Amino acid sequence: MTTRISPRQAVSYSTFFLNVLTGRKPAADARLLATDNGWAAFTRIRRRVPTRFKQVRVARAFCPNPDTAEIVAMVENGTGHQAMTLTFRTTPHGWRLDHCDLIHANAQPRHRL
């Protein structure tokens, strides 16, 4: 009988990766929490973003099956913000980042009421 790994751990790991983008956590530590494909995708994102993000937050977490966790996060730098997806898969070592991508860019200032 196998023990199901809690999706909360995947959400926690996604927060760790988001904090790497803000510069609050070292990237070297994040490498241990990713598959080879996930690390390649994450390093592509790090090269695509011009500066470090100031604010990051998990917006939604969804588990389409027991071995996959999909996280949608918002990353913000001043008035610009983007949505980001992070997909985690279970491995013998627990959840590991398997893919991520930026999915929406908005460089327009937010409307103030």
Side-chain angles (χ1 to χ4, degrees):
M1 181 172 154
T2 60
T3 305
R4 184 165 186 250
I5 302 169
S6 171
R8 287 182 184 207
Q9 185 182 40
V11 173
S12 175
Y13 285 177
S14 68
T15 302
F16 187 86
F17 280 96
L18 292 171
N19 281 316
V20 170
L21 292 177
T22 64
R24 293 181 195 129
K25 298 287 183 183
D29 293 345
R31 175 62 184 104
L32 299 173
L33 303 175
T35 64
D36 290 341
N37 290 337
W39 185 247
F42 186 71
T43 56
R44 279 192 301 273
I45 286 175
R46 289 183 65 215
R47 284 192 301 259
R48 285 174 45 195
V49 295
T51 58
R52 291 182 174 164
F53 291 107
K54 292 184 179 5
Q55 295 182 341
V56 292
R57 66 181 169 84
V58 172
R60 183 177 158 230
F62 174 68
C63 293
N65 62 58
D67 297 324
T68 305
E70 296 175 353
I71 313 295
V72 176
M74 295 302 297
V75 291
E76 301 177 10
N77 189 14
T79 57
H81 61 277
Q82 294 180 276
M84 179 177 176
T85 61
L86 300 104
T87 302
F88 289 84
R89 303 230 188 273
T90 56
T91 70
H93 305 288
W95 291 105
R96 294 296 180 260
L97 179 69
D98 195 50
H99 182 71
C100 59
D101 202 2
L102 295 170
I103 58 174
H104 180 264
N106 179 6
Q108 300 297 320
R110 292 184 178 174
H111 298 286
R112 302 236 184 233
L113 297 176

